[in-house]
Amino acid sequence: MRWFFLVLAIAMVATIYAIGPRGEKFSDPPFELFPDMDHQYKLRPQEPSEFFADGQAAQKPVSGTVPLGYSLPHAGNDGNTGSDLEYSSGDGYASTGQFGDNYGEGYPKEVELTPALVKRGQERYQVFCTPCHGDSGNGQGIVSKYWAIPPTANMLDARVSAMPEGQIFSTITHGKGLMGPYNGVIPVKDRWAIVSYVKSLQAASGN
Ligand code: HEC
């Protein structure tokens, strides 16, 4: 029994010695194995700064900045009116590209195929599709220079050129494979505009 108390006393002293120094203050910063970007170069709002011409760290937001949680008013968004910005208008051809289970050919009656539509499509295509599919639609966008696999579809090849308008509309709407869906991103009318531009790229390539 005596030995037990002796061992117990030694164990207690050892334990207190081992954990006791915790809470002591050290003047050195702790060693950080994973800094997790805790320390970054930054300017505090009221600080002076030599970087900016006016000598202040706090700068006004760039003109046209939209604060998080607010959206641009619909009218005035690139000249679109509210009715052009529908993201879905029911289950008709105009918003699905399909008649029942089949992809449709041609454009819905709500969308008139005009040079202005193709021009709008070109502009939207260059915003949304060029990074992957390339300016000409050949699938060699900037992304292909960095992530070569899996390959982006070449929209000029015979297989994609043979697709009816409704199928391309549907691909933009729902995405395919690694291509994400654009149904909540590109309004219906702009999706048809992009379809018309893709069709013109295909026609220009001879397919
Ligand atoms: C993030 C890269 C990316 C972007 C952006 C992108 N796509 Fe794609 N797209 C792909 C990939 C990858 C495939 C091949 C999908 C597969 O076959 O699995 C593809 C396939 C396609 C196809 C062929 C579909 C089929 O059935 O073979 C069409 C048409 C197409 N994209 C059109 C577009 C249009 C129009 C846009 C712009 C609105 C666009 N894509 C934006 C990556 C992208």
Side-chain angles (χ1 to χ4, degrees), residues 56-75:
Q56 299 182 9
Q59 297 290 307
K60 285 207 176 114
V62 179
S63 80
T65 303
V66 182
L68 272 178
Y70 294 83
S71 55
L72 284 173
H74 275 176

Side-chain angles (χ1 to χ4, degrees), residues 3 5 15 32 80 84 108 126-127 135 138 144 150 162 173 177 201 203:
W3 288 110
F5 281 116
T15 310
E32 284 178 287
N80 271 335
D84 290 339
Q126 286 170 350
V127 172
D135 253 338
N138 65 359
S144 70
T173 304
L201 285 178

Side-chain angles (χ1 to χ4, degrees), residues 78 80 116-130 190 193-194 197:
D78 288 353
N80 271 335
L117 185 80
V118 181
K119 186 116 197 47
R120 170 79 183 165
Q122 174 181 30
E123 193 246 326
R124 296 285 99 181
Y125 175 92
Q126 286 170 350
V127 172
F128 290 105
C129 321
T130 295
D190 282 346
I194 294 174
Y197 184 64

Side-chain angles (χ1 to χ4, degrees), residues 7-61:
V7 170
L8 186 68
I10 292 172
M12 280 168 69
V13 168
T15 310
I16 289 167
Y17 184 75
I19 64 176
R22 287 176 176 233
E24 262 179 32
K25 295 208 165 77
F26 297 93
S27 53
D28 292 341
F31 177 71
E32 284 178 287
L33 201 51
F34 301 107
D36 287 340
M37 293 166 55
D38 280 344
H39 310 285
Q40 298 177 29
Y41 178 72
K42 64 171 180 269
L43 295 170
R44 295 200 165 84
Q46 303 293 329
E47 275 179 354
S49 161
E50 284 172 12
F51 182 79
F52 295 109
D54 63 4
Q56 299 182 9
Q59 297 290 307
K60 285 207 176 114

Side-chain angles (χ1 to χ4, degrees), residues 129-195:
C129 321
T130 295
C132 294
H133 289 284
D135 253 338
S136 71
N138 65 359
Q140 304 293 313
I142 187 75
V143 167
S144 70
K145 309 275 181 293
Y146 293 92
W147 301 288
I149 40 171
T152 305
N154 173 0
M155 295 209 264
L156 308 179
D157 73 21
R159 183 184 64 86
V160 183
S161 296
M163 287 179 186
E165 286 81 356
Q167 186 168 1
I168 295 177
F169 179 88
S170 178
T171 305
I172 303 174
T173 304
H174 302 293
K176 187 174 185 207
L178 284 184
M179 174 180 157
Y182 287 90
N183 52 359
V185 183
I186 306 178
V188 169
K189 204 164 170 199
D190 282 346
R191 268 178 260 158
W192 284 111
I194 294 174
V195 171

